[in-house]
Amino acid sequence: MNRRRKSCYRPYEGKRWPLWRKAVLALLLAGALAFGALFGAVMYGAYDHIQGEPRLMVILGCQVKPWGPSILLQDRLDKALDYLEEHPDVQVVVSGGQGPDEPTSEAQAMADYLTAHGVEEEKVLLEPDSHNTAQNLDYSRRLLDREGIDTSDGVLLVSNGFHLTRARMLAERAGFEQVSTLAAPASHLPSRLYMYVREPLALVKSFLFDRAG
């Protein structure tokens, strides 16, 4: 008598994940890809990009300590000074207000630093009222309009490299044309690491919410 043997073999289907776990994983992967793309945009802007011969420079503010500009702000000012040595006729705007823990406005601290290092006082305009990057650029543009200074030849933004992709976007929103950038280093390592993580998120926030007034 022939007897059929029943096979006990079953194809291995693997461990099935519940739908919610798959959804969470998909969101995490999408978030990682989005952050990577934003980080790439930040890194692309972290270098000098100069078009033509800009006759106007805007130095963006950063924290002022009781003893003077912070390390990151000194980096910006020293980068600007290097450029101004070869381009002494450039008009400079220093932009930044006074925070509750700052002894003076960022604009005043920057102006003092530049003039102490040989920049002519009449070449420096102060914008002492802004408290974020969007205001830096919006208020600087309004100041230049009030002073009757032509911005059509372009503007050169000076900040630490991690900051410049967002600064360029906001400068264009504020009405500046032909925006060039001058990338200062970030000598303070903890700040540099923190800012390169923070800045991709700040780029999204500024894209969505920061508009010129």
Side-chain angles (χ1 to χ4, degrees):
M1 179 183 292
N2 292 330
R3 296 180 178 178
R4 292 183 179 179
R5 294 183 178 181
K6 294 182 178 180
S7 173
C8 63
Y9 172 77
R10 292 182 181 177
Y12 177 71
E13 296 179 354
K15 184 179 180 180
R16 294 184 177 180
W17 283 20
L19 184 60
W20 69 266
R21 187 175 294 179
K22 291 180 180 179
V24 169
L25 179 60
L27 288 173
L28 289 174
L29 290 173
L33 289 172
F35 185 86
L38 291 166
F39 184 80
V42 170
M43 291 302 298
Y44 174 77
Y47 300 92
D48 296 350
H49 293 275
I50 301 177
Q51 305 176 63
E53 292 287 336
R55 310 298 297 171
L56 174 65
M57 172 187 287
V58 177
I59 308 175
L60 302 177
C62 191
Q63 188 176 24
V64 174
K65 301 290 188 178
W67 54 87
S70 62
I71 294 174
L72 290 181
L73 187 52
Q74 285 186 48
D75 289 335
R76 300 179 189 190
L77 293 165
D78 290 339
K79 183 75 174 185
L81 286 168
D82 289 342
Y83 187 87
L84 291 169
E85 283 184 7
E86 298 182 4
H87 305 83
D89 294 331
V90 169
Q91 177 71 60
V92 180
V93 176
V94 287
S95 178
Q98 182 176 1
D101 58 346
E102 293 177 309
T104 186
S105 72
E106 294 166 9
Q108 187 62 61
M110 287 190 282
D112 292 343
Y113 189 93
L114 292 175
T115 55
H117 288 80
V119 178
E120 297 177 7
E121 187 174 346
E122 59 269 22
K123 288 290 184 182
V124 183
L125 291 175
L126 278 70
E127 183 289 292
D129 300 316
S130 56
H131 293 283
N132 57 49
T133 306
Q135 291 180 359
N136 284 154
L137 294 157
D138 187 24
Y139 294 1
S140 293
R141 178 58 195 265
R142 296 185 190 191
L143 171 64
L144 291 164
D145 287 345
R146 290 196 301 270
E147 295 289 331
I149 296 175
D150 183 16
T151 63
S152 61
D153 289 337
V155 61
L156 179 60
L157 304 182
V158 183
S159 191
N160 306 101
F162 59 76
H163 191 205
L164 287 172
T165 294
R166 186 160 60 99
R168 174 190 289 274
M169 176 185 71
L170 293 172
E172 291 171 350
R173 283 187 182 175
F176 287 105
E177 300 175 8
Q178 194 170 314
V179 178
S180 298
T181 56
L182 199 59
S187 299
H188 189 248
L189 180 59
S191 295
R192 181 165 75 244
L193 295 175
Y194 169 73
M195 288 298 181
Y196 273 112
V197 173
R198 173 187 179 275
E199 195 61 27
L201 305 177
L203 185 60
V204 174
K205 178 261 181 187
S206 286
F207 177 79
L208 294 174
F209 300 112
D210 289 340
R211 305 286 172 177

